[in-house]
């Protein structure tokens, strides 16, 4: 991993000999250590972002294989019933640690509570389950993600010479606590501009399930409602950003209206190279998976690690031992940093019509 791309805020996470009791005392340790260590992972879907199957699964498998532990990684494909069924099957199969990326806090809490009642240690991966009982939470500093998006949109609007621009929001899923944190981050940058009348607040809509086709429909309605007067789009991830770009293309506005994103997906990076997307936010999933897998492996063996950091669960009132990683803003001139980190390849981004565009972006 290149230095400077990402740092772990919890410095002492993986220190040798740093195994100490932390979090709520669930009494899981003896039960876990008496069984063969086995880790279950439930990913949320494969449509809201390419990262889940394209990066998270790959990096988690690498970590578990390197540690020589048994594991089972499954994807709920945005189905709450399937999510609970997978969890039940994993608990029955004897997993000693369960890592979940919830679809919503209600479903996630039910799964975590059942796992706890069966002596299975738990981790919230990427999304905090509000009111839940996970022993750890591993993610990125999600308000910082949103702040980078707000700053990125402001930067691109300035470069466009926009005067009193109308800014529309395409927020993430209302059931995802991360979406709430992202919005808090970009509101911290953009609301003062709305209040001062430097910018004009346009339509502000959430996209259920982070669904691309739904986002396209919503953005088309936003554009119609404003009679085509949208000058910037704060899209909460690359999937939503691409949906907005598809509608802007229909109206011959792509490249004229800055659009943000998140996840540094191949599609998002190609949109940036083409000039249709302003920026994205890179979250080095390899580091997130490494931090989470190290904790999961310890828990699966009946051990606990000290993270040196907590996040307050606003519903449960609990201070959850956490690891928060640092995101990075990506523009056309530093896309090569994402490639250098091994998250995507030059061949993926620079295929076909993008080959010449890559050369212009300094990707060689």
């Amino acid at each position: 991993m290149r230095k400077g791309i990402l740092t772990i805020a919890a410095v002492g996470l993986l220190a040798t000999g740093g195994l100490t009791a932390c979090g709520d005392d669930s009494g899981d340790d003896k039960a876990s250590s008496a069984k063969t260590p086995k880790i279950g992972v439930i990913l949320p879907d494969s449509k809201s972002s390419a990262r889940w199957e394209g990066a998270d699964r790959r990096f988690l498998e690498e970590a578990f294989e390197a540690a020589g532990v048994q594991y089972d990684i499954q994807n709920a494909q945005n189905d709450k019933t399937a999510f609970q069924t997978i969890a039940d099957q994993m608990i029955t199969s004897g997993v000693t640690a369960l890592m979940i990326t919830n679809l919503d806090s209600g479903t996630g809490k039910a799964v975590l509570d059942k796992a706890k009642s069966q002596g299975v240690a738990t981790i919230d991966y990427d999304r905090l389950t509000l009111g839940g009982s996970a022993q750890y939470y591993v993610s990125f500093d999600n308000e910082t993600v949103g702040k980078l998006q707000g700053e990125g949109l402001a930067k691109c609007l300035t470069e466009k010479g926009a005067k009193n621009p109308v800014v529309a929001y395409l927020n993430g899923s209302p059931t995802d606590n991360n979406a709430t944190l992202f919005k808090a981050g970009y509101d911290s940058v953009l609301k003062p501009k709305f209040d001062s009348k430097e910018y004009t607040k346009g339509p502000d809509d959430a996209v259920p399930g982070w669904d691309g086709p739904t986002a396209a429909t919503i953005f088309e309605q936003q554009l119609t409602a404003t009679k085509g007067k949208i000058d910037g789009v704060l899209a909460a991830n690359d999937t939503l950003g691409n949906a907005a770009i598809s509608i802007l293309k229909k109206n011959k506005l792509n490249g004229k209206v800055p659009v943000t994103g998140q996840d540094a997906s191949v599609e998002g990076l190609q949109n940036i190279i083409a000039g249709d997307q302003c920026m994205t936010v890179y979250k080095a999933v390899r580091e997130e998976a490494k931090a989470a897998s190290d904790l999961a492996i310890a828990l699966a063996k009946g051990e606990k690690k000290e993270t040196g950091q907590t996040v307050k669960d606003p519903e449960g009132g609990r201070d959850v031992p956490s690891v928060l990683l640092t995101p990075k803003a990506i523009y056309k001139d530093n896309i090569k940093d994402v490639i250098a980190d091994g998250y995507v390849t030059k061949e993926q981004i620079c295929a076909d019509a993008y080959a010449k565009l890559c050369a212009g972006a300094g990707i060689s």
Side-chain angles (χ1 to χ4, degrees):
M1 178 62 62
R2 286 179 68 250
K3 293 182 179 179
I5 293 296
L6 184 149
T7 58
I8 297 181
V11 176
L13 171 64
L14 303 180
T16 301
L19 302 178
T20 62
C22 66
D24 67 349
D25 184 6
S26 61
D28 297 337
D29 291 359
K30 290 183 180 179
S32 296
S33 60
K35 301 176 183 177
T36 300
K38 182 179 179 181
I39 299 167
V41 179
I42 309 178
L43 299 176
D45 65 83
S46 57
K47 294 180 69 176
S48 68
S49 174
R51 62 165 286 188
W52 301 116
E53 288 297 328
D56 293 84
R57 178 185 289 273
R58 172 165 54 109
F59 295 138
L60 287 169
E61 285 178 345
E62 286 178 3
F64 297 144
E65 292 282 353
V69 297
Q70 295 183 42
Y71 65 91
D72 180 10
I73 302 175
Q74 296 191 45
N75 194 311
Q77 297 299 355
N78 202 34
D79 185 325
K80 295 178 187 178
T81 300
F83 192 97
Q84 291 179 307
T85 299
I86 292 169
D88 287 343
Q89 291 172 343
M90 287 182 172
I91 292 169
T92 300
S93 75
V95 297
T96 53
L98 179 65
M99 185 191 306
I100 71 166
T101 304
N102 70 58
L103 298 179
D104 65 86
S105 286
T107 306
K109 182 180 186 305
V111 165
L112 292 172
D113 288 350
K114 182 168 184 179
K116 180 178 178 180
S117 73
Q118 299 295 312
V120 177
T122 53
I123 296 174
D124 272 330
Y125 182 63
D126 199 71
R127 298 172 183 168
L128 180 65
T129 300
L130 302 182
S133 55
Q135 287 156 271
Y136 295 105
Y137 167 52
V138 179
S139 189
F140 288 81
D141 184 332
N142 291 309
E143 285 200 30
T144 297
V145 170
K147 186 178 179 182
L148 292 175
Q149 291 173 317
E151 291 171 346
L153 185 60
K155 175 179 183 290
C156 293
L157 285 168
T158 297
E159 291 173 351
K160 294 285 185 184
K163 303 297 183 183
N164 190 24
V166 176
V167 174
Y169 281 5
L170 281 175
N171 308 302
S173 176
T175 62
D176 183 351
N177 184 58
N178 282 2
T180 300
L181 297 173
F182 300 148
K183 192 173 192 296
Y186 48 77
D187 269 342
S188 73
V189 176
L190 298 177
K191 189 176 184 299
K193 295 181 181 295
F194 298 142
D195 292 344
S196 69
K197 310 300 182 184
E198 182 183 353
Y199 291 1
T200 297
K201 180 70 178 291
D204 181 350
D205 294 295
V207 180
W210 296 90
D211 183 66
T214 301
T217 299
I218 290 172
F219 183 68
E220 191 156 35
Q221 292 168 346
Q222 290 182 342
L223 204 59
T224 299
T226 58
K227 298 181 179 179
K229 178 57 178 172
I230 290 178
D231 303 297
V233 183
L234 197 300
N237 78 353
D238 289 345
T239 298
L240 307 189
N242 189 66
I245 290 167
S246 70
I247 302 304
L248 291 171
K249 284 180 177 178
K250 283 175 58 177
N251 291 274
K252 295 181 170 53
L253 292 171
N254 60 302
K256 300 176 183 178
V257 178
V259 178
T260 65
Q262 177 187 175
D263 291 334
S265 67
V266 170
E267 184 176 64
L269 295 173
Q270 288 178 331
N271 282 335
I272 292 173
I273 291 170
D276 292 333
Q277 185 168 321
C278 158
M279 57 84 70
T280 188
V281 178
Y282 173 48
K283 301 185 300 186
V285 175
R286 185 193 299 273
E287 294 300 318
E288 184 182 22
K290 177 68 166 60
S293 62
D294 283 346
L295 290 172
I297 290 164
L299 287 177
K301 295 177 179 179
E303 304 166 345
K304 291 183 181 177
K305 289 180 179 287
E306 178 61 56
T307 66
Q309 186 177 19
T310 62
V311 166
K312 175 72 76 174
D313 175 353
E315 286 193 11
R318 197 167 58 98
D319 291 321
V320 185
S322 303
V323 179
L324 298 182
L325 307 176
T326 304
K328 181 181 177 68
I330 297 296
Y331 299 88
K332 188 175 182 178
D333 62 1
N334 65 343
I335 287 175
K336 56 185 176 294
D337 290 349
V338 184
I339 297 172
D341 267 3
Y343 186 69
V344 297
T345 66
K346 174 192 170 185
E347 288 70 27
Q348 287 175 302
I349 298 173
C350 302
D352 304 323
Y354 294 95
K356 289 185 179 179
L357 296 173
C358 277
I363 302 171
S364 57

